[in-house]
Amino acid sequence: MEAPRLAHTMSSPTSPCEEVIKNLSLEAIQLCDRDGNKSQDSGIAEMEELPVPHNIKISNITCDSFKISWEMDSKSKDRITHYFIDLNKKENKNSNKFKHKDVPTKLVAKAVPLPMTVRGHWFLSPRTEYTVAVQTASKQLDGDYVVSEWSEIIEFCTADYSKVHLTQLLEKAEVIAGRMLKLSVFYRNQHKEYFDYIREHHGNAMQPSVKDNSGSHGSPISGKLEGIFFSCNTEFNTGKPPQDSPYGRYRYEIAAEKLFNPNTNLYFGDFYCMYTAYHYVILVIAPVGSPGDEFCKQRLPQLNIKDNKFLTCDEEDGVMVYHHAQDVILEVIYTDPVDLSLGTVAEITGHQLMSLSTANAKKDPSCKTCNISVGR
């Protein structure tokens, strides 16, 4: 049986959980620094007899929850009524050191059997480093607490989005995908030097590279999946790829069936925006049985290539026909090398719109369209 969840929290001023804060009971929240210094009006007194938690263990870590346990000396153990848990994002050298002293980061829980589950209340962010320390406490008749010294500080990192969370993102993306338009090619824009380098150093084959950190912070493909980015959106009036690009004036075009066919699997990877009105959907195309396919199978929701809201291929009269969603910008990652000889490279006539680049782009955490209820 899962241990009871922790009872009370306070969020930072920048947390999205203002409504939750309004409903919190502040009776059990006290201001207390980890070094044992209390604010003057906190009403907390020290009692050295209370055991100090040690050998803290963090387990069952997800993108928005974890279990915590520790050991305690038996001395005065029966006096413990509550646990104080101080949880903070780990600061780095470039972080803003300012911290509101009147906002507690402590969570107060009744003394329940360990391990104890911390979930949701802290609005934990995925793939984020945290520090945690613990005190034991005894609530007095007058409502004040006596507390132990703080434990040692433990560091841990939350996990990526699970398939469950990605499915929630997928369902949100499906709502705005719009009607399907025909396409015939995938294309990749780069500078001339990129294609010259591929010809000279990689035997004419574009090589997969590790995806950057653009998109949702919890996406399991960021910094891990290797692939080659392609686009497939078309202009509504021409049915052809747009002439503008943020990534370079040279474009590689390849017939859609060379990359996407019944011998490939299709996966949903992410849904995000960058403080703009338009939204991006990342899809992954992986040849069946390839390393990329095995990676995605474990982590991403798989889509039916003939029937989904974003990108489809189906046979009509013996010919493969392709469609893409009109109202989202699709970013397609192909997980195997692609030989340039399978397509063509030519200079585009449009502009290089750098403002449209998604390289390491940060997702808008306040957008109601593309965020889910777990941490950003």
Side-chain angles (χ1 to χ4, degrees):
M1 178 180 296
E2 184 176 83
R5 300 178 186 177
L6 301 184
H8 301 286
T9 66
M10 284 287 286
S11 93
S12 69
T14 57
S15 170
C17 54
E18 295 179 3
E19 190 61 35
V20 177
I21 295 175
K22 295 177 183 177
N23 299 324
L24 290 177
S25 169
L26 301 183
E27 177 263 335
I29 297 290
Q30 306 291 340
L31 302 183
C32 182
D33 297 327
R34 284 180 178 171
D35 59 6
N37 296 326
K38 272 69 67 177
S39 63
Q40 294 181 356
D41 59 349
S42 68
I44 298 181
E46 278 192 67
M47 177 176 281
E48 293 183 359
E49 289 77 8
L50 286 177
V52 179
H54 62 276
N55 195 25
I56 296 174
K57 302 290 185 184
I58 305 293
S59 61
N60 296 83
I61 300 172
T62 72
C63 70
D64 65 343
S65 70
F66 63 91
K67 286 188 176 182
I68 184 170
S69 63
W70 57 83
E71 297 176 7
M72 293 180 290
D73 296 332
S74 58
K75 181 181 178 182
S76 300
K77 193 173 181 180
D78 58 345
R79 299 186 53 138
I80 298 172
T81 61
H82 291 78
Y83 302 137
F84 289 1
I85 300 178
D86 194 26
L87 181 68
N88 293 281
K89 285 186 178 180
K90 184 179 176 183
E91 293 181 334
N92 58 52
K93 293 180 180 179
N94 299 320
S95 68
N96 184 354
K97 298 295 184 181
F98 175 78
K99 184 176 180 181
H100 290 284
K101 295 300 182 181
D102 58 341
V103 178
T105 57
K106 192 187 309 71
L107 182 153
V108 180
K110 290 184 177 179
V112 297
L114 301 175
M116 177 188 304
T117 297
V118 180
R119 174 183 287 113
H121 299 282
W122 281 96
F123 291 84
L124 290 164
S125 296
R127 199 185 284 201
T128 302
E129 291 184 327
Y130 288 90
T131 63
V132 64
V134 187
Q135 283 179 315
T136 57
S138 177
K139 190 172 184 178
Q140 307 300 293
L141 293 177
D142 60 3
D144 288 344
Y145 291 87
V146 292
V147 298
S148 72
E149 294 291 338
W150 282 108
S151 70
E152 73 273 26
I153 298 173
I154 300 297
E155 299 179 0
F156 71 98
C157 185
T158 47
D160 298 331
Y161 283 155
S162 67
K163 276 189 179 181
V164 172
H165 299 113
L166 286 172
T167 299
Q168 293 176 22
L169 270 183
L170 166 62
E171 291 170 351
K172 280 180 162 282
E174 288 175 336
V175 172
I176 70 162
R179 69 170 179 162
M180 305 290 278
L181 302 177
K182 278 191 175 183
L183 71 108
S184 59
V185 299
F186 290 101
Y187 55 96
R188 174 173 172 81
N189 291 83
Q190 284 286 347
H191 299 286
K192 180 178 182 296
E193 291 76 13
Y194 167 82
F195 294 109
D196 291 341
Y197 185 87
I198 293 300
R199 295 185 185 99
E200 183 176 351
H201 296 281
H202 290 291
N204 215 44
M206 293 184 290
Q207 300 297 314
S209 59
V210 177
K211 183 193 171 298
D212 65 12
N213 289 314
S214 60
S216 299
H217 190 53
S219 174
I221 62 177
S222 293
K224 296 180 181 179
L225 176 67
E226 294 187 357
I228 305 170
F229 263 110
F230 285 90
S231 299
C232 65
N233 291 79
T234 58
E235 292 181 323
F236 179 78
N237 56 341
T238 67
K240 297 181 179 181
Q243 281 301 306
D244 298 327
S245 166
Y247 299 113
R249 294 192 57 80
Y250 282 77
R251 173 172 293 167
Y252 175 74
E253 287 190 6
I254 183 171
E257 60 264 23
K258 297 287 182 65
L259 300 186
F260 189 32
N261 53 63
N263 295 318
T264 56
N265 284 326
L266 181 67
Y267 298 90
F268 173 82
D270 200 4
F271 177 47
Y272 69 100
C273 73
M274 303 177 297
Y275 304 88
T276 57
Y278 42 89
H279 281 78
Y280 294 83
V281 168
I282 298 180
L283 303 175
V284 182
I285 298 176
V288 174
S290 66
D293 189 36
E294 294 303 315
F295 177 95
C296 295
K297 195 172 294 183
Q298 305 296 323
R299 297 168 177 83
L300 306 180
Q302 186 171 350
L303 303 176
N304 184 333
I305 65 172
K306 295 183 179 182
D307 183 19
N308 67 80
K309 299 288 188 180
F310 311 108
L311 181 66
T312 61
C313 72
D314 203 358
E315 188 174 336
E316 295 180 11
D317 299 325
V319 178
M320 297 304 296
V321 178
Y322 295 85
H323 291 85
H324 71 87
Q326 174 185 2
D327 294 336
V328 292
I329 300 175
L330 296 180
E331 297 182 303
V332 179
I333 301 176
Y334 187 76
T335 62
D336 273 13
V338 176
D339 198 292
L340 291 178
S341 65
L342 296 175
T344 59
V345 177
E347 188 173 4
I348 62 174
T349 59
H351 301 287
Q352 186 173 337
L353 303 177
M354 296 305 295
S355 62
L356 295 179
S357 172
T358 61
N360 289 307
K362 300 304 180 186
K363 179 175 182 175
D364 179 359
S366 65
C367 178
K368 292 181 172 60
T369 300
C370 61
N371 282 294
I372 54 179
S373 59
V374 297
R376 307 295 185 248

